[in-house]
Amino acid sequence: MSETPLQPSDRVASVPESGIRRFFEVAAEMDNVVSLGVGEPDFATPYRAREAAIDSLQRGRTSYTANKGMVELRERIADHVTRYDLNYDPDEEIIVTAGASEAIDATFRALVNPGDSVAIAQPAYVSYEPGVRFAGGEPLPVETRAEDEFVLTRERLEAAGAQEAELLVYCYPNNPTGATMTEDELREVAAFCREHDIAVMADEIYAALTYEGDHTSIATLPGMRERTVVFNGFSKAYAMTGMRLGYALAPAHVVESINRIHQYTMLSAPTTAQHAAIEALDNCEPDVEEMCTQYDRRRNFVLARLDEMGIDCFEATGAFYVFPESPWPDAGEFAEALLQAEQVAVVPGDAFGTGGEGHLRMSYASSMDDLRTAMDRIERFLE
Amino acid sequence: MDERAAVLDLLRENARYTTADLARMTGLDESAVEETIAALETDGVVAGYTAVVDPSKLDDEPVRAHVECNVTLDRETSYRDIAQRLAGFPEVASLRLMSGDYDFALDVEADSMGEVSRFVSEKVAPLPEITQTVTHYVMETYKESNHRFDTEEGDERISYSP
């Protein structure tokens, strides 16, 4: 008999602690840490959106909204995504959630049967694999590689055995690599999914942070809309991480399934955040453009400094991460030594699954002063 | 954004960016950055470089005032003529011709309120074209040239996040 009846389920126990968590605890004890380990903007939410949130509170708009989110917000989202050639019915095909993370988790539970194989393009956002496991599925890592600029290819899918998978999950622009995929590259993935009747979960939370060329959504390609769930949200583009607001776009029956879970767990996304989001979509586009300009400059700066230091790094063209090769064979050891010696926080790539080994995730969502300090310290550390 | 606009934008953000950093951020080479800056200076687009100072942090905080001036023109005197005279006073830190209720806005800086008052009453008001002055003393500055002084915002994000 166990000491306490409060034991984690086998499903929960099978999921290890996040690789990021270990570093967080070390860094939390230190002063003067310059962090390139953060996965969120360093900008505050655009002022107008914050004002809208305050206004909604002052007016006492603090009750639940419709399960799928405020109608006005879903209508704004439907308009907004037309910029990516996505057309979804705000009544039936859009659901607003507490962050894109909730949408992804609910979708796993809505679509995955016990034992189902879920292909995950790796390195990947840390929550996909646990999400699949919590839903009872079997994660199938599909490694992408630096030599392919971390794009997902048919060869990689086939080599991983993804043709047997029920579902494919990916994120482009990508966390942690900063990679994006072109329309032609996505066509290859789309063809593979159609051939093998695989559904797709396309995490496009960084779509607005695409620096070279336009973002393409796989759901716009022939035969893909009906087999794809698209995720997006306000955290990254609108610097609203703490507001916890995301959304999913999918055919009506899928949204209905996601909502079945959402209505019994979250009920509805935070109301204050939904008011802020309406204002963000209506009036904060200049803020997004300004943030993109700043990120692009910082990206150039970081890539140039890494190059000058002789650290190999493919040219990340999206999100706010670069994913250079670790100067030491063991990226975890390097990250730990760098943190101890120079108080610079970076994340070892293996925290994001296979394919990430030997790399480091560096976020450039930090001020130019901090980025310069971090790069100077890394340079000094390498000397 | 063209090269000139990109460099100018960055200089306005922080004029102390090194040429090397400007080159890294814009993707230009250093010589192109130097040439662009030289052209901006030669063309008078960049008229000077200055520090943004929070006056409250100084040991001897200067007194600053915003002075509204109304003027009257005649056939031989233009706004520009009056502006030339006003701009020449070292106490005048900035001078603008305005639309609306008054004509000129002067930012005046001096060591004491008395000095500001004397300057306005003895130097500005007596000019023949000046018909009225209204002096507003600056009580506190919260934002200057896009820099905010009233915040102590650090980076509150946790060092590692997914």
Side-chain angles (χ1 to χ4, degrees):
Chain A
M1 196 177 185
S2 60
E3 284 179 26
T4 164
L6 293 171
Q7 294 296 321
S9 69
D10 294 344
R11 205 172 269 184
V12 168
S14 75
V15 173
E17 192 179 59
S18 162
I20 291 175
R21 178 88 199 152
R22 180 167 62 93
F23 282 85
F24 166 68
E25 281 160 4
V26 178
E29 301 291 310
M30 291 180 161
D31 294 327
N32 194 27
V33 172
V34 179
S35 183
L36 307 182
V38 287
E40 63 176 319
D42 61 317
F43 299 99
T45 303
Y47 194 70
R48 281 170 172 274
R50 282 184 272 159
E51 277 285 312
I54 293 167
D55 182 63
S56 76
L57 289 170
Q58 285 187 327
R59 289 174 193 275
R61 291 175 175 158
T62 51
S63 30
Y64 295 129
T65 67
N67 292 135
K68 286 192 281 190
M70 292 165 63
V71 176
E72 303 92 308
L73 176 56
R74 280 182 277 141
E75 287 171 350
R76 275 9 177 252
I77 291 168
D79 284 344
H80 176 77
V81 299
T82 57
R83 68 177 53 190
Y84 304 120
D85 296 324
L86 295 167
N87 292 288
Y88 286 88
D89 173 9
D91 292 328
E92 306 276 333
E93 297 181 317
I94 297 176
I95 180 167
V96 178
T97 53
S101 300
E102 193 229 336
I104 291 165
D105 176 59
T107 305
F108 281 136
R109 288 193 279 156
L111 300 183
V112 174
N113 285 308
D116 276 359
S117 173
V118 179
I120 303 174
Q122 295 200 344
Y125 175 55
V126 294
S127 296
Y128 300 152
E129 192 167 323
V132 172
R133 290 197 190 281
F134 290 144
E138 289 294 327
L140 176 73
V142 180
E143 210 171 277
T144 64
R145 304 299 295 270
E147 59 260 33
D148 302 325
E149 301 201 326
F150 293 104
V151 302
L152 190 57
T153 61
R154 174 182 281 271
E155 288 71 29
R156 292 285 168 202
L157 286 160
E158 285 171 350
Q163 51 276 19
E164 304 300 326
E166 273 75 26
L167 190 57
L168 165 69
V169 188
Y170 71 71
C171 173
Y172 286 101
N174 182 264
N175 173 10
T177 65
T180 51
M181 281 186 69
T182 64
E183 185 173 332
D184 284 346
E185 288 161 348
L186 281 171
R187 280 186 189 282
E188 197 177 291
V189 174
F192 180 87
C193 292
R194 284 194 306 269
E195 267 168 47
H196 300 287
D197 198 22
I198 299 167
V200 175
M201 288 169 59
D203 183 349
E204 300 181 3
I205 187 86
Y206 293 98
L209 306 180
T210 302
Y211 306 107
E212 289 171 21
D214 294 325
H215 171 76
T216 302
S217 175
I218 199 167
T220 61
L221 302 180
M224 293 308 294
R225 189 185 189 280
E226 55 268 38
R227 64 175 65 248
T228 302
V229 185
V230 176
F231 304 94
N232 208 323
F234 296 86
S235 294
K236 312 300 181 180
Y238 297 93
M240 286 169 58
T241 48
M243 296 262 193
R244 309 307 308 129
L245 207 67
Y247 53 89
L249 314 169
H253 72 283
V254 179
V255 164
E256 190 45 48
S257 302
I258 297 169
N259 193 35
R260 192 84 59 86
I261 294 161
H262 173 76
Q263 71 185 345
Y264 289 123
T265 51
M266 196 55 64
L267 301 169
S268 60
T271 304
T272 309
Q274 293 189 57
H275 285 285
I278 289 171
E279 180 67 19
L281 291 176
D282 281 350
N283 289 311
C284 297
E285 212 46 46
D287 300 81
V288 178
E289 284 170 20
E290 175 57 26
M291 287 189 269
C292 282
T293 301
Q294 296 282 352
Y295 289 138
D296 193 20
R297 286 175 184 161
R298 297 170 187 184
R299 178 181 71 100
N300 289 336
F301 174 80
V302 170
L303 286 170
R305 286 294 302 265
L306 292 173
D307 184 51
E308 287 158 20
M309 283 184 246
I311 297 176
D312 282 336
C313 186
F314 96 101
E315 191 176 341
T317 53
F320 36 61
Y321 309 104
V322 292
F323 204 63
E325 280 183 21
S326 167
W328 295 3
D330 187 320
E333 278 180 17
F334 177 83
E336 213 153 332
L338 179 66
L339 182 60
Q340 295 289 355
E342 294 287 351
Q343 293 81 52
V344 175
V346 298
V347 188
D350 61 5
F352 305 95
T354 54
E357 295 91 348
H359 288 263
L360 301 163
R361 189 190 76 172
M362 295 181 181
S363 161
Y364 49 84
S366 290
S367 69
M368 270 305 300
D369 284 346
D370 280 352
L371 289 176
R372 191 182 301 102
T373 303
M375 291 299 145
D376 289 347
R377 290 183 186 183
I378 292 170
E379 193 166 29
R380 188 168 62 195
F381 181 67
L382 291 174
E383 284 166 6
Chain B
M1 194 181 287
D2 64 21
E3 295 172 5
R4 199 173 156 104
V7 171
L8 184 61
D9 204 30
L10 284 164
L11 288 176
R12 292 181 69 166
E13 182 180 289
N14 183 352
R16 295 196 69 195
Y17 281 141
T18 64
T19 309
D21 280 355
L22 290 169
R24 291 177 182 120
M25 283 187 272
T26 55
L28 300 169
D29 58 41
E30 285 192 46
S31 60
V33 170
E34 280 168 6
E35 281 167 26
T36 305
I37 293 174
L40 286 165
E41 291 171 354
T42 305
D43 296 348
V45 177
V46 173
Y49 299 92
T50 183
V52 180
V53 176
D54 181 350
S56 69
K57 299 279 172 29
L58 295 173
D59 291 338
D60 297 314
E61 185 178 349
V63 173
R64 304 167 91 200
H66 177 82
V67 182
E68 301 170 3
C69 291
N70 277 309
V71 300
T72 181
L73 304 179
D74 59 41
R75 293 172 67 123
E76 292 175 2
T77 311
S78 67
Y79 284 125
R80 183 170 290 277
D81 296 326
I82 302 168
Q84 293 283 8
R85 290 194 67 174
L86 289 170
F89 292 116
E91 290 88 345
V92 177
S94 68
L95 173 66
R96 296 179 181 89
L97 180 65
M98 310 295 288
S99 66
D101 291 341
Y102 54 97
D103 299 309
F104 285 105
L106 287 70
D107 287 334
V108 173
E109 251 186 59
D111 290 337
S112 66
M113 286 178 76
E115 218 174 282
V116 172
S117 301
R118 276 193 296 282
F119 169 67
V120 174
S121 60
E122 293 173 12
K123 301 291 183 189
V124 179
L127 292 178
E129 298 85 2
I130 303 281
T131 57
Q132 186 189 29
T133 66
V134 179
T135 301
H136 307 271
Y137 285 98
V138 175
M139 296 171 71
E140 193 138 20
T141 303
Y142 300 105
K143 190 174 182 181
E144 180 91 44
S145 302
N146 279 324
H147 291 262
R148 288 182 62 176
F149 297 149
D150 61 328
T151 55
E152 292 182 7
E153 290 169 1
D155 189 346
E156 292 178 354
R157 298 174 301 166
I158 55 176
S159 298
Y160 286 90
S161 62

